[in-house]
Amino acid sequence: MLHESTVMKETDNAAERKAKLGVKLFFIYTIIYTGFVLIGLFKPELMGLELMAGQNIAIIYGFGLIVLAIVMGFIYNYACTRLENKLNKN
Amino acid sequence: MIYEVSNLAVIIFLFIVGLVLGLSFYFARKTKSAASYYAAGGKIHWAVNGIAFAGDYLSAASFLGICGMIAYSGYDGFLYSIGYLAGWVVALFLVAEPLRRLGKYTFTDALDSRFNAKSIKLAASISTLIVSVFYLIPQMVGAGDLVVPLLGLPHWMGVVIVGSIVIFIVATAGMTSTTYVQFIKGALLVVFSTILTFYILKNGLNLNPSNDYHQFNKIGAVVEPDNTIKVSDSTYVIASTQLVGNLTFVKLEKDGTGIWYKLGTNGDEAFLEEAQFITVTADGEKLYNGAPKSERKFYQVGHLSKIIVDGVEVDKTGPVGPFEFIQAIEKSEIVRFTKKAFNDGDDKVTVYFQTKTLGKDIMKPGLLYKLSKASGATFWNRLNFLSLMLALFLGTSALPHILIRYYTVPSQRAARKSTIVAISAIGFFYILTLYMGLGAMINGVLDVESSNMSAPLLAKYFGVGIFSIISAIAFATVLGTVSGLIVASSGAIAHDFIDNYLKVEMTDNEKVKAGKISAICVGVVAIILGILFKGMNVSFLVGLAFAVAASANLPAILFLLFWKKTTARGIAWSIIVGIVTSIGIILFSPTMWERYGLIPKDAPIPLDNPGIISIPLSVITLVVVSLLTQKYNATKDFSK
């Protein structure tokens, strides 16, 4: 089976910068998610408005939130891996 | 509803269950130490762990519950998909790596790593146990719902079967076997949901879902000025009239059989539309459309009443693309079935009547969560929506059975990578839920008695083969998720409570034994609760588990990681306040009031989702108690 060797004690010089990046990305996503909730709360009729390609705001915003989470995940991983490689050389 | 049992379904079902049990036997021989029991020895590959994450997370609630909710309430069900996925952003960006650095086997280990305080061990182990049990209930309910059509067994037997198999899996091999069960199931679920979606799109939209779809009767009527109703077809006799709110139901009799109709109007014209109904007679007999269940008079329903493509009305669309499908539904008109209950003489009647709904209302929030002023939304309705979206967002990264999966991989980097694999697989699946839900809504497959069966019944519409596979996967879904939850619970009891809190001296072997005994006890409790909660939408129940997790655990995790002044007492008290307030609100909510047999409107707290109150309370408690107990704050560098 696919097993990897265990590294129990790790020192990670990149931890702090990764955490900062994580917090930044978290806030970006939270703002966009909050926007969705606020539209639902205060302007629900806006959700039914056709935005483009025959799709309404609810669909585009909803699908968008899902796709955005995936895309941001990849960006974060890319950035973190680079930081780890750079700062944990020794 | 009554279902045909197919041999193929039984064979595929037995095969998948056999596979799962075989894996457990295989790994049981390798599980000798506590580290391998609770955390699979930290040796799982990140890709396997990522799909296993998806397996853990895409529980019965996602597959059965969300699809069911979308099938009945449109976009409002999809809100769960959006919220459940958004929760992973919190998990990935804030929680995954630090938690992995701090812990050993359980979330309690991580919380306590800085303090070594008894109060945290106790509070965190209780909260793990409570959240896991809350999460277990819907899984067990879902399991019971599944075996009814699949194997033709009663609901309670499904619950007992799942409970027994899972206790066996967990008690034999712990986290390793649970991980591989989740990996297989997560992968199968995503693959076959994609296939099902492909079928839905290929099938397109059709006014007549199938040749044997029940054609609902519509009879002309006249409403006299004194509000008496006359039927234009004189062969029908009005046996009873019931006013429920602003709706009128009429029981028409012909040739000795009575059927309930709903009065509708179209301008000056009045008409009666056939409804489905369940009657419980004075002597306790349950009749479906006036006949015993075995006569199969109760139909699967849900259809389109108008299809419009490019401004033209058509009978069917033929195969469509994924965007065309949504667009076509948005422009069309769908018949949903809405429920009302009343007493007719000594009979307790529940009618499920046709509700024509415009596609554009289905494709935006509002059918379940009343939000716009036009639909009569109150302050509490809107608070409920906000509360749900908050709990879903914050709940994921506080679920103990998800958190323990950060300890099954060898490194922080692997923890992060497996989280990203999980987000991708889960995100893709959640997009599919919209198609599966809408597919079930329009293809005449819904069993109005149980929204949870929408996705498997849709699969049945496309053939017994895919139905059997999908049901078996759904069953494996329940098995896998329940196993994960039971491992988490047994960790809370045996590792956090008995070993660390009570400090009972145990050898490694005894620790594993304690874990297994705890697993059996939790399993038995889960079986009992699964039987008691029959009939509730599983996604709704999971929403509550999220609310409890987000209230009890998340403030503790985030403040520990990001606020240096956090103290042990602050954490312990915030967990306790989070549990007590969230469960307190749930117990006095309208939904539970209905469960107790009382009138939902009379519930003392008009809120179904507790997060909006309990999460802030938990945060305030943490901050205030921490500031008051600064002198006890042992500073220890935990950032590296």
Side-chain angles (χ1 to χ4, degrees):
Chain A
M1 291 280 173
L2 289 164
H3 281 180
E4 288 182 310
S5 61
T6 315
V7 190
M8 277 322 250
K9 286 271 170 244
E10 315 163 68
T11 45
D12 184 4
N13 303 319
E16 207 168 306
R17 289 184 58 182
K18 286 193 297 187
K20 272 191 184 152
L21 176 68
V23 171
K24 254 185 228 162
L25 291 172
F26 165 76
F27 275 110
I28 295 174
Y29 193 86
T30 305
I31 290 167
I32 299 172
Y33 182 81
T34 310
F36 178 80
V37 177
L38 291 181
I39 293 178
L41 218 48
F42 296 108
K43 278 265 169 215
E45 58 281 2
L46 210 65
M47 286 285 194
L49 221 66
E50 196 172 307
L51 192 64
M52 56 184 200
Q55 309 294 333
N56 66 19
I57 291 187
I59 291 293
I60 291 175
Y61 211 147
F63 276 33
L65 278 171
I66 293 179
V67 174
L68 182 70
I70 299 173
V71 171
M72 281 172 72
F74 277 99
I75 295 173
Y76 175 69
N77 183 49
Y78 175 77
C80 285
T81 309
R82 272 189 54 172
L83 281 173
E84 283 165 359
N85 291 344
K86 204 170 93 189
L87 299 171
N88 293 337
K89 263 185 184 152
N90 305 313
Chain B
M1 194 106 253
I2 195 147
Y3 301 98
E4 306 263 355
V5 177
S6 88
N7 290 332
L8 184 65
V10 176
I11 292 167
I12 294 178
F13 171 81
L14 290 177
F15 174 75
I16 296 221
V17 172
L19 187 73
V20 167
L21 290 180
L23 263 179
S24 297
F25 274 123
Y26 176 79
F27 287 110
R29 286 182 288 128
K30 296 185 170 182
T31 307
K32 298 281 185 279
S33 67
S36 67
Y37 180 77
Y38 292 119
K43 282 182 179 163
I44 304 287
H45 189 274
W46 57 265
V48 173
N49 200 55
I51 299 294
F53 256 133
D56 265 324
Y57 201 63
L58 300 177
S59 65
S62 295
F63 184 56
L64 303 177
I66 293 183
C67 290
M69 249 189 202
I70 296 174
Y72 283 82
S73 311
Y75 195 89
D76 280 341
F78 192 57
L79 287 175
Y80 278 85
S81 293
I82 296 169
Y84 281 144
L85 189 79
W88 279 92
V89 168
V90 185
L92 174 65
F93 294 152
L94 300 183
V95 177
E97 290 179 68
L99 211 69
R100 156 78 208 180
R101 273 200 298 279
L102 296 177
K104 193 178 167 197
Y105 302 152
T106 64
F107 140 82
T108 308
D109 289 339
L111 271 191
D112 196 33
S113 60
R114 191 168 141 200
F115 305 106
N116 194 18
K118 278 196 130 184
S119 55
I120 292 188
K121 291 186 182 98
L122 183 64
S125 60
I126 292 174
S127 111
T128 299
L129 199 60
I130 289 182
V131 173
S132 301
V133 169
F134 254 85
Y135 213 99
L136 272 170
I137 300 170
Q139 312 301 328
M140 300 306 263
V141 171
D145 278 350
L146 269 170
V147 294
V148 177
L150 192 65
L151 304 177
L153 298 171
H155 184 274
W156 68 269
M157 273 185 79
V159 177
V160 173
I161 293 174
V162 169
S164 321
I165 298 176
V166 164
I167 290 172
F168 179 80
I169 298 174
V170 176
T172 48
M175 198 59 182
T176 314
S177 60
T178 302
T179 298
Y180 282 99
V181 168
Q182 291 297 50
F183 168 70
I184 293 171
K185 161 235 142 165
L188 285 176
L189 184 60
V190 174
V191 169
F192 278 92
S193 298
T194 312
I195 294 174
L196 190 57
T197 304
F198 177 76
Y199 274 115
I200 296 164
L201 296 176
K202 193 170 156 243
N203 194 49
L205 282 68
N206 194 333
L207 282 182
N208 189 20
S210 63
N211 290 333
D212 53 2
Y213 188 72
H214 180 70
Q215 298 300 322
F216 287 89
N217 208 356
K218 188 174 169 182
I219 306 163
V222 180
V223 183
E224 301 285 351
D226 63 346
N227 278 338
T228 52
I229 298 163
K230 286 209 170 116
V231 193
S232 40
D233 183 343
S234 60
T235 55
Y236 290 95
V237 180
I238 295 182
S240 173
T241 306
Q242 292 286 342
L243 227 83
V244 186
N246 54 358
L247 301 169
T248 309
F249 297 100
V250 177
K251 190 180 185 183
L252 296 184
E253 273 183 359
K254 186 184 184 180
D255 308 328
T257 51
I259 290 181
W260 283 96
Y261 285 73
K262 183 187 146 275
L263 181 71
T265 47
N266 188 3
D268 290 340
E269 191 193 345
F271 53 86
L272 293 167
E273 264 178 334
E274 186 183 350
Q276 300 221 79
F277 56 98
I278 297 173
T279 317
V280 180
T281 60
D283 50 6
E285 199 189 359
K286 203 171 181 185
L287 299 174
Y288 290 77
N289 286 349
K293 199 170 192 175
S294 55
E295 283 188 29
R296 302 175 185 222
K297 285 257 181 87
F298 211 59
Y299 317 106
Q300 285 173 278
V301 292
H303 60 271
L304 289 148
S305 48
K306 201 185 274 177
I307 303 172
I308 293 173
V309 178
D310 299 327
V312 184
E313 214 177 317
V314 294
D315 285 345
K316 58 180 173 192
T317 60
V320 285
F323 292 105
E324 278 176 280
F325 179 80
I326 291 176
Q327 210 177 340
I329 291 200
E330 217 179 313
K331 299 273 183 286
S332 305
E333 187 183 78
I334 291 119
V335 174
R336 300 182 305 132
F337 281 74
T338 319
K339 176 173 131 178
K340 278 277 181 253
F342 52 82
N343 290 332
D344 181 44
D346 292 337
D347 293 346
K348 282 199 168 103
V349 182
T350 309
V351 284
Y352 301 89
F353 57 93
Q354 302 183 46
T355 310
K356 283 208 173 94
T357 313
L358 291 176
K360 69 179 175 59
D361 291 332
I362 284 170
M363 298 313 301
K364 67 175 191 200
L367 291 179
L368 190 64
Y369 292 96
K370 299 262 172 283
L371 292 172
S372 68
K373 291 208 176 80
S375 66
T378 63
F379 168 75
W380 290 105
N381 291 141
R382 294 156 87 177
L383 201 63
N384 219 358
F385 168 78
L386 182 63
S387 193
L388 171 76
M389 295 309 281
L390 184 71
L392 297 184
F393 189 49
L394 297 178
T396 303
S397 40
L399 294 173
H401 72 291
I402 296 294
L403 294 174
I404 56 172
R405 205 156 274 297
Y406 291 126
Y407 305 118
T408 55
V409 287
S411 64
Q412 281 181 56
R413 187 183 282 203
R416 181 177 72 237
K417 279 188 183 169
S418 55
T419 314
I420 289 161
V421 171
I423 294 184
S424 309
I426 295 167
F428 177 65
F429 175 83
Y430 278 150
I431 288 180
L432 300 182
T433 57
L434 187 66
Y435 291 95
M436 293 190 281
L438 292 174
M441 181 186 255
I442 60 171
N443 281 317
V445 299
L446 300 180
D447 169 1
V448 290
E449 258 196 304
S450 165
S451 63
N452 297 332
M453 280 311 291
S454 305
L457 287 174
L458 174 67
K460 194 171 193 177
Y461 172 73
F462 294 114
V464 174
I466 187 156
F467 165 70
S468 312
I469 296 169
I470 291 267
S471 302
I473 293 170
F475 199 77
T477 297
V478 176
L479 289 183
T481 307
V482 174
S483 319
L485 286 164
I486 290 186
V487 172
S489 316
S490 74
I493 299 175
H495 176 71
D496 299 337
F497 186 72
I498 299 178
D499 189 5
N500 287 342
Y501 180 77
L502 297 178
K503 301 246 181 268
V504 176
E505 284 292 322
M506 286 189 286
T507 63
D508 207 50
N509 246 335
E510 284 167 345
K511 283 181 189 171
V512 175
K513 201 170 177 185
K516 290 178 177 178
I517 293 171
S518 316
I520 294 170
C521 298
V522 177
V524 172
V525 171
I527 291 175
I528 297 168
L529 291 174
I531 295 170
L532 289 179
F533 278 81
K534 181 193 170 187
M536 285 187 89
N537 181 289
V538 295
S539 196
F540 173 74
L541 288 168
V542 165
L544 296 184
F546 270 65
V548 178
S551 316
N553 299 346
L554 197 75
I557 298 171
L558 289 184
F559 277 82
L560 174 77
L561 296 176
F562 295 100
W563 195 46
K564 289 217 166 71
K565 288 187 172 171
T566 308
T567 64
R569 289 172 189 213
I571 288 186
W573 278 108
S574 93
I575 293 176
I576 291 166
V577 167
I579 297 174
V580 172
T581 49
S582 56
I583 293 184
I585 295 171
I586 291 169
L587 290 179
F588 291 101
S589 69
T591 306
M592 287 310 289
W593 234 241
E594 191 178 1
R595 202 78 206 154
Y596 306 144
L598 301 166
I599 299 162
K601 267 192 184 156
D602 296 346
I605 301 171
L607 198 64
D608 274 323
N609 294 293
I612 192 77
I613 296 175
S614 53
I615 298 171
L617 272 180
S618 169
V619 169
I620 292 169
T621 308
L622 193 149
V623 172
V624 171
V625 175
S626 290
L627 289 176
L628 290 176
T629 54
Q630 280 303 304
K631 57 181 170 176
Y632 301 108
N633 198 358
T635 42
K636 198 168 139 191
D637 186 19
F638 65 99
S639 61
K640 300 255 163 90

